Amino acid sequence: MSFASVLVLNGPNLNLLGTREPHIYGAETLEDVARRCREAGERLGLAVDFRQSNAEHQLIDWLHETRSAVQGIVINPAAYTHTSVAIADALSAVAKPVIEVHISNVHRREAFRHHSFVSAGAEAVICGCGTDGYVFALERMATILKNKGKQ
Ligand code: DQA
């Protein structure tokens, strides 16, 4: 039984997981990650709404549309992490707890990946744990929502 709903949002190029630079992002596909998130959600009592888009406006529209239906947001904004004030603003506007996830350790990579527009508004940032980071984020989100009395 689910007591809370969490939006798991994925940004550009994450649809190519499994074939995209597997030495950085691993061999799992996005569908594998979605399945693991739904399984973790069942274990944690969270309904997981898992989505991916390559379009900034679509990610923002989904944040607006699901606003009243979800209690928390797990987001891997991918490249928009480093460029999008608009996504950071949308996350602030919907005013739900946010956990930012990156599959790779962005701090060990190019300097342009070291800055995130999203992190300042996030409860937590998980990076460098591979796709396990999504499961860790859902575990932490379950605790956050429990502490807020939302679950
Ligand atoms: C990423 C890291 C970003 O810098 C990159 O643009 C991505 C994926 C990650 O999950 O490690 O697309 O967010």
Side-chain angles (χ1 to χ4, degrees), residues 38-110:
R38 290 192 193 102
E39 283 167 7
E42 273 171 36
R43 171 168 61 81
L44 296 163
L46 298 173
V48 171
D49 183 350
F50 191 97
R51 303 184 188 204
Q52 187 275 334
S53 178
N54 294 324
E56 189 175 26
H57 76 89
Q58 179 65 85
L59 296 165
I60 293 166
D61 285 348
W62 282 338
L63 285 167
H64 296 178
E65 284 164 19
T66 61
R67 178 184 193 161
S68 55
V70 303
Q71 285 71 48
I73 297 157
V74 170
I75 185 166
N76 182 348
Y80 290 139
T81 308
H82 320 297
T83 63
S84 180
V85 175
I87 288 177
D89 279 353
L91 288 165
S92 302
V94 303
K96 311 280 177 186
V98 172
I99 300 183
E100 178 183 347
V101 173
H102 300 287
I103 297 165
S104 64
N105 179 356
V106 285
H107 300 291
R108 210 160 68 170
R109 301 181 64 194
E110 303 95 320

Side-chain angles (χ1 to χ4, degrees), residues 16-28 103-105 108-110 113 130:
L16 298 181
L17 271 189
T19 57
R20 174 193 182 198
E21 300 179 277
H23 57 292
I24 297 176
Y25 298 112
E28 273 182 303
I103 297 165
S104 64
N105 179 356
R108 210 160 68 170
R109 301 181 64 194
E110 303 95 320
R113 296 185 203 275

